[in-house]
Amino acid sequence: AKARGVAKVDLRGDWKMQRNLFLQPGSCKACAVVVLLEINQLPPSMAVPLENFTKALTAEAKNKGLLLTKHKLVGPKNYGLNKNIFDEAGANDYEFLVFIVHDNKETFVKDMIKFHEAQTGIITQCVTVSKAMDIGNDKPGSRQITENILNKMNLKLGGLNHSLTFGPSTGPQ
């Protein structure tokens, strides 16, 4: 249809995705969750929820078709963020590192993580300790947080979460 000489285009598209599954899952041979906090040992009040976070992330990834075949919780690492963490990960064939970091808004740690990611090719994802604890303690809203983290992980691992096709609408008008 034309209105005043301009072609009218239907921009409504159709989403292609399977319910609760990635359209195309990425792949990862090994993933480690690294606790990057300035403490020597995790207190029990943190250790169990962070282990639960690792299990929840892995289980939900599997439910969505993303297999993290080898995974473990590492840390805390208190020697600062340096290339040693990435060297250890590379020596153990880890392709993906999830860093649990402080909630403060400092960008230095995240910038260093991204610098080492570029240097080593090991893909990373940062999660704040409060979000990891919420997931580990199964707090309200934690399922959506897990979903968001996994969507980012899947894309970083070469997967496809969904697609949108344009053309004649097949849905209700």
Side-chain angles (χ1 to χ4, degrees):
K2 286 189 176 185
R4 296 185 189 169
V6 178
K8 215 175 180 183
V9 179
D10 183 3
L11 294 179
R12 291 176 295 187
D14 293 321
W15 289 97
K16 286 188 178 178
M17 61 188 293
Q18 294 178 343
R19 186 87 176 136
N20 298 323
L21 290 174
F22 292 126
L23 187 63
Q24 178 184 340
S27 63
C28 179
K29 289 187 289 188
C31 173
V33 176
V34 180
V35 179
L36 198 63
L37 303 173
E38 296 168 356
I39 54 178
N40 291 324
Q41 187 174 352
L42 286 176
S45 63
M46 288 181 74
V48 172
L50 292 182
E51 185 64 42
N52 290 345
F53 163 77
T54 304
K55 289 177 184 176
L57 198 66
T58 305
E60 189 58 28
K62 183 179 180 183
N63 289 341
K64 293 177 73 55
L66 174 63
L67 295 180
L68 306 175
T69 56
K70 180 178 165 188
H71 61 278
K72 74 178 205 174
L73 179 65
V74 178
K77 296 291 186 183
N78 65 351
Y79 52 84
L81 182 63
N82 57 43
K83 197 166 178 283
N84 291 345
I85 296 171
F86 287 86
D87 290 340
E88 288 175 28
N92 290 302
D93 295 325
Y94 284 97
E95 297 176 322
F96 199 100
L97 297 175
V98 178
F99 284 96
I100 298 175
V101 297
H102 284 286
D103 290 350
N104 61 18
K105 301 296 181 197
E106 284 185 35
T107 59
F108 175 74
V109 171
K110 293 176 185 172
D111 289 346
M112 289 305 296
I113 288 171
K114 292 302 173 188
F115 172 79
H116 290 304
E117 176 180 354
Q119 295 292 314
T120 63
I122 297 172
I123 304 166
T124 65
Q125 176 64 49
C126 290
V127 178
T128 62
V129 70
S130 64
K131 297 295 183 197
M133 294 289 286
D134 286 352
I135 293 167
N137 288 319
D138 199 23
K139 290 206 173 165
S142 63
R143 191 155 171 81
Q144 184 63 53
I145 297 167
T146 305
E147 181 93 12
N148 293 343
I149 293 168
L150 288 172
N151 282 336
K152 288 178 74 176
M153 287 177 67
N154 190 52
L155 290 174
K156 290 179 177 185
L157 291 168
L160 184 62
N161 296 341
H162 52 264
S163 69
L164 181 61
T165 56
F166 289 99
S169 179
T170 58
Q173 299 295 323

